Amino acid sequence: SGDSVASVTGTESVKKAASPDDSLMVLDTIGFGDTRLPPDVVVRSLRDTALEAPGGIDALFFVLKKERVTSAEQETLGYVTQDLFGKECLQNLYMVVTHAGRLAKDVELREPWLKEQAAASVPFAAILETLGPNPVQRIAFVENPDPNEAEDEEDRVLAQKRRQRALADIRSLLEKHNVQPYQHSIMHSAGEFHAVRLEEMRRELRGRIESEVRRELEKDRGVLEEERNQLRTELETFKEREETMQKRFEEEWARMRSEFENRARELARGDLEPVAQEIIEKTEKKAKGRRCVVM
């Protein structure tokens, strides 16, 4: 259905899910702000996120389970919004509260609950402050049960309805979103690297096709030059061969483009590795001394 997310693919560091109509693409990153992971894991996550979204990210979702919030969650959000991406990403920041229970369907309960949690938890209050002056408008409250874990058909149908409602709530947030995508400098670099690699492959393919056609023309020229009165025919043949070359090139490019896209992505991934490494190293230095370790 239009409210489902399918086609889940990904690398070791980023999972990508897209709706059937491609109107919604979700990137699930790992490593950002998790001090339990080595820096190279975070580097790969940043690199692959940039490759999947070279044009920027429309919305950043901070996912939080509806339970007691600790300083670990606050530090994770601070690492991403202050150290890694910077304050420029805040206008694209939203929060998703999972396992929300009654809050998922009763809108009137949400704001009182947020105020209660903020009064009882300094980390939670800090997270809400990051979302701006009216945080309730930037939060989706969802129930996301797994239909495969349902005990019977009735439970499965109910779980599916809750998941559809969760996606509808998130889509509702996105429909109200009217700011430009957030684009980190590495995302811009990802687009440039990928375009350069793709153009290199295009030129290489064209050069190969041209060489093949020239060899064919050379063979034909030896025969045509034996009779001078066939010069016009030779020139016409050259023109036809040039057109044939262009057609062959376009057909070959269309056939191999998908393969070249993937190869270009892999080569660009290597280009981005040192860029991501440098960003993470700088970020780690900025965040040093004020991050917590999640045990």
Side-chain angles (χ1 to χ4, degrees):
S1 70
D3 288 327
S4 64
V5 173
S7 304
V8 178
T9 58
T11 64
E12 60 184 8
S13 58
V14 175
K15 289 184 179 180
K16 178 174 69 173
S19 59
D21 61 359
D22 289 328
S23 64
L24 178 66
M25 183 177 74
V26 179
L27 301 179
D28 185 6
T29 63
I30 66 169
F32 292 173
D34 190 342
T35 56
R36 297 170 299 180
L37 298 176
D40 62 306
V41 173
V42 187
V43 168
R44 290 195 297 270
S45 185
L46 178 61
R47 175 200 66 192
D48 293 337
T49 298
L51 280 170
E52 293 294 348
I57 299 173
D58 291 301
L60 300 166
F61 284 104
F62 181 63
V63 181
L64 192 67
K65 189 174 181 181
K66 180 178 170 285
E67 58 184 19
R68 182 176 177 273
V69 176
T70 68
S71 57
E73 287 84 4
Q74 178 190 353
E75 291 290 340
T76 296
L77 182 60
Y79 174 82
V80 174
T81 60
Q82 297 176 31
D83 301 321
L84 183 59
F85 286 165
K87 294 182 179 180
E88 293 80 6
C89 75
L90 293 181
Q91 63 179 352
N92 302 83
L93 179 66
Y94 294 87
M95 185 164 75
V96 177
V97 177
T98 65
H99 303 80
R102 292 179 59 192
L103 297 175
K105 58 182 179 179
D106 196 334
V107 177
E108 298 299 323
L109 296 178
R110 296 175 180 178
E111 192 160 4
W113 180 83
L114 289 174
K115 290 180 179 179
E116 178 183 336
Q117 297 302 309
S121 170
V122 172
F124 191 86
I127 290 174
L128 288 188
E129 184 178 355
T130 305
L131 294 174
N134 198 357
V136 71
Q137 294 185 358
R138 303 181 72 84
I139 302 176
F141 295 85
V142 303
E143 278 287 307
N144 54 333
D146 186 349
N148 296 324
E149 296 180 358
E151 295 182 358
D152 51 38
E153 181 61 19
E154 182 178 354
D155 282 348
R156 190 193 67 78
V157 172
L158 180 60
Q160 189 62 38
K161 287 182 177 179
R162 288 174 175 172
R163 288 168 67 89
Q164 290 176 350
R165 183 170 60 204
L167 272 174
D169 285 349
I170 293 175
R171 282 183 181 272
S172 178
L173 284 181
L174 294 177
E175 288 170 359
K176 299 173 185 177
H177 181 78
N178 60 358
V179 300
Q180 292 296 313
Y182 167 74
Q183 187 184 40
H184 192 280
S185 60
I186 194 176
M187 297 173 185
H188 181 73
S189 297
E192 290 183 337
F193 285 144
H194 184 266
V196 167
R197 292 295 188 175
L198 194 61
E199 181 58 28
E200 287 175 354
M201 293 177 185
R202 181 181 172 88
R203 287 199 302 266
E204 180 182 347
L205 176 63
R206 185 179 183 89
R208 180 162 58 84
I209 299 297
E210 287 179 345
S211 296
E212 292 174 359
V213 172
R214 286 195 183 99
R215 285 196 295 270
E216 293 173 1
L217 289 174
E218 288 298 326
K219 292 178 182 178
D220 292 340
R221 184 178 292 114
V223 175
L224 293 172
E225 288 179 350
E226 293 178 359
E227 300 183 16
R228 296 178 60 183
N229 60 355
Q230 293 184 357
L231 178 59
R232 180 176 297 177
T233 302
E234 180 183 27
L235 294 176
E236 291 177 354
T237 301
F238 285 174
K239 181 179 179 181
E240 291 175 357
R241 292 297 175 85
E242 287 290 339
E243 292 174 351
T244 300
M245 177 201 75
Q246 182 63 28
K247 182 179 178 181
R248 285 178 58 182
F249 166 71
E250 294 296 342
E251 291 175 348
E252 193 74 353
W253 173 251
R255 184 179 68 84
M256 302 183 67
R257 176 160 188 152
S258 178
E259 176 185 346
F260 283 180
E261 288 276 1
N262 291 330
R263 287 170 57 191
R265 184 183 299 274
E266 289 302 318
L267 290 170
R269 180 173 282 111
D271 296 328
L272 281 174
E273 185 82 21
V275 178
Q277 180 71 45
E278 181 180 358
I279 291 172
I280 293 303
E281 289 176 354
K282 291 181 178 178
T283 299
E284 292 291 336
K285 291 180 180 178
K286 288 166 59 179
K288 186 176 181 182
R290 59 185 188 83
R291 296 175 57 198
C292 70
V293 178
V294 181
M295 299 303 290

